[in-house]
Amino acid sequence: MSPERAPAATAASAPVRPLRRDAQRNRDALLAAARAVFAEQGMQASLEQVAKRAGVAIGTLYNHFPARLDLVQEVFAGKLATWVAAAEQALSMDDAWEGLCLFLETMCELQARDRGFNDFASIRLPENACLAGQQTRIHDLGVRIVERAREQGRLRPDLVPEDLAFVIWSHSRIIEATDGIAPHAWRRHLYLMLDGFRAERAHPLPEPPLTPTQLYRAMLRLGGADNGTD
């Protein structure tokens, strides 16, 4: 996305003029439609479909959001703030391991409910993007969360903050496969990974395994053949 189409710094410093009532109504409709479409289809969903669901012309969408990145940032700003708040809470907890679990579980839960945020959590924004600073904040907090867990002897000493990306990337595929089949299966996967992160023995997992039928249907879905029947 070219920075010329979305000059974040200029837009942020420009005076904010109230929108006309009809324009505000269109903007609200576009944001609601984008949240729904991105959650269902991912961040690269058709903007024409977003406009159609909002009941406006595609030109109206571009009047409010000149580039896809503008719309994406507006849609996911709230969830990113929730993630930052969870990271700050995790860092303040006396038990650093519990803090790490809270940080990762919040991240995975936000992804599990929204395929668009699932995509968003896996990427880095351009440095001039409005939410780039929030992403950097999450990264920095994540580094400190991992370091504290290691210092307390709860986390394996060879695990580094970059290893948390594996949780995000693997989680993406799991929620795609199990959505509507076993929507909480991601928690089993997360706690399997967390037991692999522990410096001590493994603990019981909080979710049961997929049934053979669920696994079969999830594999069909990955191949594009699941018809949703039991």
Side-chain angles (χ1 to χ4, degrees):
M1 198 68 61
S2 65
E4 290 79 5
R5 294 194 65 190
T10 301
S13 59
V16 177
R17 298 176 57 187
L19 294 173
R20 298 190 318 271
R21 185 174 300 176
D22 60 336
Q24 185 64 57
R25 184 168 57 248
N26 287 340
R27 180 182 179 85
D28 292 344
L30 283 164
L31 287 171
R35 289 188 183 99
V37 172
F38 289 164
E40 295 165 5
Q41 302 176 23
M43 201 171 69
Q44 296 303 319
S46 164
L47 296 186
E48 286 78 6
Q49 187 170 347
V50 171
K52 181 178 180 181
R53 185 173 298 196
V56 302
I58 187 64
T60 300
L61 184 151
Y62 283 117
N63 284 338
H64 287 277
F65 306 102
R68 179 183 292 270
L69 182 59
D70 300 323
L71 179 59
V72 163
Q73 292 188 105
E74 189 74 20
V75 166
F76 296 126
K79 287 199 170 186
L80 197 59
T82 298
W83 194 5
V84 170
E88 291 170 344
Q89 180 184 350
L91 196 58
S92 71
M93 295 172 69
D94 292 334
D95 188 323
W97 175 261
E98 293 300 322
L100 176 66
C101 292
L102 172 67
F103 175 63
L104 291 177
E105 187 152 11
T106 300
M107 175 194 73
C108 289
E109 187 167 7
L110 289 169
Q111 286 182 264
R113 296 177 178 178
D114 188 332
R115 288 183 64 183
F117 191 76
N118 182 22
D119 295 338
F120 184 81
S122 303
I123 66 169
R124 287 287 294 179
L125 294 172
E127 289 185 2
N128 69 331
C130 297
L131 296 183
Q134 288 286 77
Q135 282 194 324
T136 299
R137 174 69 173 154
I138 287 174
H139 172 268
D140 293 345
L141 289 168
V143 169
R144 292 165 64 192
I145 289 166
V146 167
E147 289 174 347
R148 286 185 71 239
R150 279 203 311 248
E151 289 166 3
Q152 291 187 9
R154 304 296 302 280
L155 189 66
R156 54 189 300 162
D158 58 349
L159 190 140
V160 297
E162 289 79 6
D163 288 324
L164 300 187
F166 295 133
V167 179
I168 298 175
W169 295 334
S170 58
H171 184 63
S172 300
R173 195 62 168 167
I174 288 166
I175 63 173
E176 179 183 350
T178 61
D179 181 38
I181 299 172
H184 301 296
W186 63 267
R187 296 189 70 244
R188 180 178 176 85
H189 168 257
L190 173 61
Y191 277 80
L192 280 167
M193 295 198 75
L194 284 171
D195 270 347
F197 290 174
R198 291 179 186 271
E200 70 267 21
R201 66 177 179 83
H203 288 255
L205 299 174
E207 289 288 333
L210 295 178
T211 67
T213 299
Q214 289 172 329
L215 178 59
Y216 179 70
R217 288 184 59 195
M219 295 177 71
L220 284 179
R221 171 168 292 176
L222 290 175
D226 181 35
N227 60 11
T229 60
D230 293 326

